[in-house]
Amino acid sequence: MSHKRIPKRRAAIAAGGVAALGAAAILLPNANASQDGGSSDAAAAPRTLKAADASDLASRLAGMLGDAFAGSYYDSGDQQLVVNVVAGDDNQVVVEAKKAGADVREVENSMGELRGGATTLRSKAAVPGTSWAIDPRTNKILVTADSTVTGEKWDRLESTVQGLGSGMATLKKSAGTFRTFASGGDAIFGGGARCSLGFNVTAGDGAPAFLTAGHCGVAAEQWSDAQGGQPIGTVDQAVFPGEGDFALVRYDDPATEAPSEVNLGDQTVPIAQAADATVGQQVFRMGSTTGLADGQVLGLDATVNYPEGTVTGLIQTDVCAEPGDSGGSLFTQDGQAIGLTSGGSGDCTAGGETFFQPVTTALEAVGATLGGGAGDQAGGEEAGGGDAVGGGEEAGGEGAGGEEAGGDAGAGDGSGTGEQGVGTGEDGVGDGMGAGGEAGSDLTG
């Protein structure tokens, strides 16, 4: 069966400068490092966990602890899940959480109180240039104001935070300006806009498609992989602003093979599955402007008040991004899709706050799944169960390196390790669309 091969855009995707080199140094050499641990002889001691396992445990404990659960975060240094519980008469909840392998600490603010505080902020202080997210490490709401929040707007925000009561929220000032990370330039184009492609997916009817930022999806209906080129995809659904920032773009050619992977320029990361973010988790972002960058998750269920409107349900991180990175992939070392770049402040020189649309929420909303074409083999359960980057036969097996998936050059026979296993050739698996065609526009002003 014939299929459309989208050419690699290696120069644009690999142009990450120091940020890309620094993140790659973390991402690639440690890909096979085991984080498993823990002893059966110490059932009540905190377990050593991978970040993905910590996220699963956090979800289970949230249901088990009920109202006593006050959030959780991943301690990447000790590789442990820290769970907050509200002190009460029933100490059994603490015992059960410890038995499950979490490091338990008692805190003052319940999740109900913190969410109530966020609701108050939404009703009284939702001015452009502000954001807030629950920070389980401090057991407070982290409220941030950008450089445009001054005068009466700052007074309003400050008084609202103070009105929440002592110990409920912290307020900080950002030097930058909150904006969606869209910009003009080379990559995937739509009516003068440019964004980074997030993840290739399969639409509900089995058609090949990809996810990107919603503010890109509302900027243009059709997208091309070259400036002035023929469209390759048409927007099917887009949400922005409101309850998210995501769009589903269908490939116009139904024979397009769209593997779920992230192209780092010199190799690809097979994406095995979508996963929820965990505060404290190390994550990597790939974007067309700045390439590869890494950082940590700082908060969940973040609300951001962009100039275009309020967006809720985002992930807050300290990963840098710049205009043109919008829609780009946020993922983990072991090949889990976490988010789509939405916006924030700062850049990859000064740093700043960056927000991402959770992939799990986007997939559910548009009715799509990860995987498609050759990528089902490259990014399947075996590749994601281990460490997908630089792996051996499991991560870079025949599905990722065979002729059908990778063409004649550079993909290898699938039995190698590292770069050979996942394909690095000019015509290899990661054909430029796995991590970031880019598209940006004058959306942000």
Side-chain angles (χ1 to χ4, degrees):
M1 180 179 71
S2 64
H3 63 271
K4 180 177 181 179
R5 186 180 302 281
I6 301 169
K8 270 192 175 181
R9 306 188 61 81
R10 294 174 62 88
I13 293 170
V18 175
L21 293 174
I26 299 171
L27 180 62
L28 303 180
N30 297 325
N32 294 317
S34 173
Q35 295 178 324
D36 288 318
S39 169
S40 59
D41 297 331
R47 291 168 51 199
T48 300
L49 299 167
K50 292 183 178 180
D53 295 332
S55 178
D56 292 340
L57 177 57
S59 297
R60 295 198 302 271
L61 288 175
M64 183 180 78
L65 298 176
D67 292 340
F69 180 78
S72 63
Y73 63 94
Y74 183 63
D75 184 333
S76 58
D78 292 336
Q79 296 178 341
Q80 294 172 350
L81 176 69
V82 180
V83 173
N84 296 335
V85 298
V86 177
D89 296 332
D90 186 7
N91 291 327
Q92 187 61 29
V93 294
V94 176
V95 174
E96 292 301 320
K98 287 182 176 178
K99 282 184 178 179
D103 180 8
V104 180
R105 67 171 190 167
E106 293 188 1
V107 296
E108 294 295 325
N109 299 319
S110 69
M111 284 300 293
E113 290 170 330
L114 293 170
R115 287 171 178 157
T119 299
T120 299
L121 287 164
R122 176 72 184 271
S123 64
K124 295 184 177 181
V127 297
T130 60
S131 72
W132 48 82
I134 294 172
D135 180 3
R137 287 176 291 194
T138 61
N139 188 229
K140 296 179 182 180
I141 304 168
L142 174 61
V143 184
T144 307
D146 74 11
S147 59
T148 67
V149 182
T150 59
E152 185 275 333
K153 292 193 294 183
W154 172 263
D155 294 341
R156 176 178 163 191
L157 179 64
E158 187 176 41
S159 64
T160 303
V161 169
Q162 291 173 349
L164 297 177
S166 176
M168 277 292 293
T170 58
L171 176 59
K172 76 168 192 172
K173 190 82 169 178
S174 172
T177 302
F178 289 156
R179 66 197 189 283
T180 50
F181 286 129
S183 175
D186 274 333
I188 57 170
F189 296 83
R194 163 188 157 202
C195 295
S196 297
L197 186 149
F199 298 97
N200 282 319
V201 298
T202 301
D205 61 358
F210 63 83
L211 293 175
T212 189
H215 64 267
C216 301
V218 300
E221 183 180 3
Q222 291 188 308
W223 291 87
S224 171
D225 64 344
Q227 189 169 21
Q230 291 297 312
I232 62 167
T234 302
V235 175
D236 181 78
Q237 302 176 54
V239 174
F240 178 83
E243 297 181 0
D245 184 3
F246 57 90
L248 177 72
V249 182
R250 290 174 177 264
Y251 286 106
D252 294 335
D253 182 354
T256 298
E257 291 186 356
S260 293
E261 58 192 20
V262 176
N263 187 349
L264 304 183
D266 59 354
Q267 82 170 99
T268 56
V269 179
I271 298 298
Q273 61 184 344
D276 293 325
T278 301
V279 171
Q281 177 181 28
Q282 184 185 36
V283 285
F284 296 84
R285 177 200 52 73
M286 190 67 190
S288 60
T289 300
T290 56
L292 184 66
D294 71 295
Q296 283 194 353
V297 175
L298 301 180
L300 305 177
D301 198 19
T303 294
V304 186
N305 296 293
Y306 292 123
E308 299 88 354
T310 298
V311 180
T312 61
L314 301 182
I315 302 164
Q316 183 170 348
T317 79
D318 61 4
V319 184
C320 74
E322 296 182 8
D325 290 329
S326 282
S329 320
L330 186 73
F331 60 100
T332 65
Q333 178 174 286
D334 57 356
Q336 293 187 318
I338 300 295
L340 308 167
T341 307
S342 174
S345 69
D347 53 37
C348 287
T349 299
E353 301 80 19
T354 308
F355 302 94
F356 295 83
Q357 164 66 45
V359 170
T360 52
T361 305
L363 288 171
E364 183 178 3
V366 302
T369 56
L370 281 169
D376 284 337
Q377 296 172 0
E381 189 172 328
E382 287 190 15
D387 289 306
V389 185
E393 293 182 10
E394 290 185 344
E398 205 162 296
E403 182 179 339
E404 183 177 348
D408 297 330
D413 62 6
S415 61
T417 61
E419 293 184 357
Q420 282 186 313
V422 294
T424 61
E426 196 67 27
D427 295 316
V429 181
D431 51 23
M433 298 302 296
E438 325 134 69
S441 76
D442 53 1
L443 282 174
T444 60

